[in-house]
Amino acid sequence: MIWQFKPSLVAVSVLLLSACSNQFNPTEREQDIANTPEQWQQANASALKVEDNWLQQLEHPHVFALVEQALVNNQQILQSGYDVAIKQQQLIASGAALWPSLDLSMRTSRSKDNRPVSYNNASSANLTLSYEVDLWGKLSDAQRQANLDFLAQQASFEQTKQRLVGDVVSSWFNVIAAQKLLALYQQREKNAEQNLAIIESGYRQGLNDALDVYLTRNELNTERSRIAGQQATLSQAIRTLERLTGSYPSGALSVEADLPLLNKSIPLGLPSELITRKPSLMASWYQLLSTDASLAYAHKQRFPSLDLSATLGDSTARVSDLFSPSSLAWSLVGSISMPLFDAGRLSANEEAARLSMLRQEQVYLASLYDAFNEVETAISQEQSLQIRYLATLKAQENAIAAEQLSFEQYQNGLVTYTTVLDAQDRSFDAQSSVIEIKSQLIINRINLHIALGGDFSQPTNESTEQ
């Protein structure tokens, strides 16, 4: 049975994917292609082919080592790998149904009869060859479904690997950003201690008010409180990174690196290329084809089935006489069976399979548009973050200069200490914002690579062929 599907973008997938189902035949392709954007809406530059091996752009051996450790030891990636192996064995099992099965059975018994008393020995052995003829392609549909399920699990495994690498790199930069903020808080604590020493000295000389002393002490305690909170944040970030690498979350991992500014533009590719490049979309597509094969199998369950069997065996009183050429017996049987009445069971199974396929169609479309949304959002987010970073960088320069000037004017009696505190707060906000926006730029760039379906490593010839 051919079930046609018309919503937009699925036909584009049929044109682009090489693994197409012969029973899934969308129509009205010209209308569907028109609904696919030729370029990303937020992209200004020409779309070049998406590059793989984006991890090497970081050029830091520590993060490379952490990624390798995560790919080997992370519990989630290991579970996903076992899921692929399970699907592979299920594929082998489903393919066995297309081949004949050969079974050997042996039996021996001894019985007693009391009238008159006698003992009887009986031994038998049978070699049975059975085979179901795949008249309607039902068994082939079952194997095709298992094969598509295996391919979907493989694609999901690739997506899990890419997401894991992205999480490891993001967590690594989160640790670095937390360290930068902690260093900023510690520097502010040092500045507050120096200011307090100057103001207390001036108070003892009658140059400053007691209010200025209390305000400075309050500022120092505030900075110490921030340090304690940031130390806890840093420890949590380190433990998160350790768990991603499959290690015990001891919080002892040492990270020494700086926050790079990734301002080089990356190739974005075309929206239509995302369908065949992103593993999660490939997995969703294979699952859709799998439900199509499941529907074909459920429909052909209502057709007659032809079974052939051949038996070679012997039955004697002694085990040693089994399979004697003079006493071997054989039989060849062919049988045809067809369901006539099952109270609607097979019809309900077929309808359930049809509804499952319709549901999976919507799942695929949802995942497709979600993938487009991730790319568009990451592109616009990067543009916004670049503008914010440049503006905040200038604000930081002005705020630091204002902080230094305000304290000098306070010492000369030109402004009050509240003006100094206000300038210090502005300087702190600007410096911390620069660190946070720089970290957000890096995290967003990683998310953009993953959203585009770019691999973190250069594909080998073997993986390309697969």
Side-chain angles (χ1 to χ4, degrees):
M1 179 177 296
I2 299 177
W3 300 94
Q4 296 185 350
F5 178 47
K6 300 182 181 179
S8 61
L9 296 174
V10 173
V12 180
S13 305
V14 176
L15 292 176
L16 295 177
L17 289 175
S18 59
C20 295
S21 170
N22 56 1
Q23 296 188 353
F24 193 76
N25 187 23
T27 59
E28 299 183 3
R29 295 177 179 175
E30 62 281 358
Q31 296 181 6
D32 296 330
I33 294 175
N35 291 331
T36 306
E38 297 181 358
Q39 292 280 351
W40 300 109
Q41 300 297 315
Q42 300 295 333
N44 298 324
S46 59
L48 301 177
K49 183 179 180 181
V50 174
E51 296 179 354
D52 293 323
N53 207 22
W54 59 264
L55 183 61
Q56 296 299 321
Q57 300 175 9
L58 302 179
E59 299 179 351
H60 202 289
H62 189 199
V63 71
F64 298 158
L66 291 175
V67 167
E68 290 295 331
Q69 182 180 350
L71 291 175
V72 174
N73 299 325
N74 181 270
Q75 288 79 22
Q76 183 180 2
I77 200 69
L78 292 176
Q79 293 175 31
S80 183
Y82 286 127
D83 290 338
V84 174
I86 291 172
K87 288 296 182 182
Q88 185 178 22
Q89 297 305 314
Q90 292 175 349
L91 173 59
I92 296 174
S94 66
L98 295 170
W99 294 83
S101 62
L102 183 62
D103 299 314
L104 174 64
S105 61
M106 301 184 67
R107 180 183 178 187
T108 182
S109 63
R110 179 178 175 85
S111 60
K112 176 184 177 182
D113 191 356
N114 292 326
R115 297 180 181 178
V117 176
S118 62
Y119 295 91
N120 297 318
N121 297 324
S123 299
S124 63
N126 292 286
L127 192 64
T128 303
L129 180 69
S130 58
Y131 177 64
E132 180 179 355
V133 181
D134 194 17
L135 288 176
W136 321 106
K138 177 182 66 175
L139 300 179
S140 299
D141 289 330
Q143 186 190 28
R144 184 164 65 94
Q145 179 184 359
N147 184 50
L148 291 168
D149 288 340
F150 171 66
L151 293 176
Q153 194 64 55
Q154 266 192 330
S156 297
F157 176 68
E158 292 299 323
Q159 186 65 55
T160 302
K161 284 203 302 183
Q162 292 191 17
R163 185 67 266 174
L164 174 62
V165 172
D167 290 342
V168 170
V169 178
S170 298
S171 297
W172 189 67
F173 281 117
N174 285 337
V175 172
I176 298 174
Q179 290 176 338
K180 295 297 182 183
L181 287 175
L182 178 59
L184 175 62
Y185 295 162
Q186 291 173 341
Q187 182 61 42
R188 287 181 57 83
E189 179 193 25
K190 183 178 180 181
N191 294 341
E193 289 175 348
Q194 293 175 353
N195 293 343
L196 180 59
I198 294 174
I199 292 174
E200 285 181 339
S201 176
Y203 173 72
R204 286 191 295 268
Q205 298 174 16
L207 302 177
N208 300 324
D209 296 333
L211 177 61
D212 296 342
V213 176
Y214 291 132
L215 290 175
T216 309
R217 289 176 179 174
N218 178 71
E219 181 68 15
L220 177 59
N221 291 327
T222 300
E223 296 303 331
R224 289 173 176 172
S225 175
R226 284 174 176 169
I227 290 175
Q230 188 60 29
Q231 287 174 338
T233 301
L234 174 59
S235 178
Q236 181 180 1
I238 293 176
R239 287 189 172 91
T240 300
L241 179 57
E242 289 173 334
R243 282 298 298 120
L244 287 172
T245 59
S247 304
Y248 181 83
S250 61
L253 181 65
S254 177
V255 176
E256 296 182 2
D258 200 357
L259 286 175
L261 182 60
L262 304 178
N263 53 4
K264 181 182 177 182
S265 60
I266 63 174
L268 300 177
L270 299 175
S272 57
E273 296 174 350
L274 189 67
I275 300 172
T276 57
R277 186 175 58 246
K278 190 169 185 179
S280 61
L281 289 180
M282 296 294 295
S284 182
W285 172 254
Y286 287 134
Q287 289 168 356
L288 176 56
L289 296 182
S290 175
T291 56
D292 177 57
S294 175
L295 173 58
Y297 178 82
H299 178 68
K300 295 172 183 178
Q301 282 285 84
R302 307 170 69 177
F303 295 172
S305 59
L306 174 60
D307 296 311
L308 302 177
S309 64
T311 303
L312 178 65
D314 191 10
S315 178
T316 64
R318 294 185 304 176
V319 178
S320 59
D321 294 335
L322 288 176
F323 292 111
S324 175
S326 60
S327 60
L328 285 177
W330 60 271
S331 65
L332 181 63
V333 179
S335 62
I336 297 179
S337 60
M338 179 177 180
L340 297 178
F341 177 76
D342 58 4
R345 177 178 60 85
L346 295 178
S347 177
N349 290 340
E350 181 179 355
E351 179 64 15
R354 187 185 72 86
L355 295 174
S356 295
M357 192 191 71
L358 294 177
R359 179 186 179 278
Q360 191 61 39
E361 289 170 354
Q362 301 306 313
V363 171
Y364 174 73
L365 277 180
S367 62
L368 192 60
Y369 282 111
D370 287 343
F372 289 154
N373 179 62
E374 289 177 2
V375 176
E376 295 284 5
T377 301
I379 294 174
S380 60
Q381 185 74 3
E382 176 156 342
Q383 295 172 352
S384 174
L385 288 172
Q386 289 284 0
I387 297 174
R388 289 178 55 196
Y389 176 75
L390 295 177
T392 308
L393 198 61
K394 294 180 180 179
Q396 175 184 252
E397 297 175 359
N398 296 328
I400 293 176
E403 179 185 7
Q404 297 173 350
L405 182 60
S406 65
F407 192 75
E408 293 175 358
Q409 291 180 346
Y410 168 74
Q411 288 181 309
N412 294 327
L414 300 177
V415 296
T416 62
Y417 193 69
T418 54
T419 303
V420 176
L421 293 177
D422 182 64
Q424 289 177 347
D425 290 338
R426 293 177 185 274
S427 176
F428 168 76
D429 292 339
Q431 293 179 69
S432 59
S433 294
V434 168
I435 297 174
E436 292 171 354
I437 294 176
K438 200 173 183 180
S439 176
Q440 291 175 15
L441 270 169
I442 297 172
I443 303 302
N444 186 76
R445 175 62 64 91
I446 296 171
N447 292 334
L448 179 57
H449 279 296
I450 297 175
L452 289 171
D455 200 355
F456 60 91
S457 62
Q458 190 69 32
T460 60
N461 294 332
E462 180 181 357
S463 62
T464 304
E465 293 174 0
Q466 291 179 352

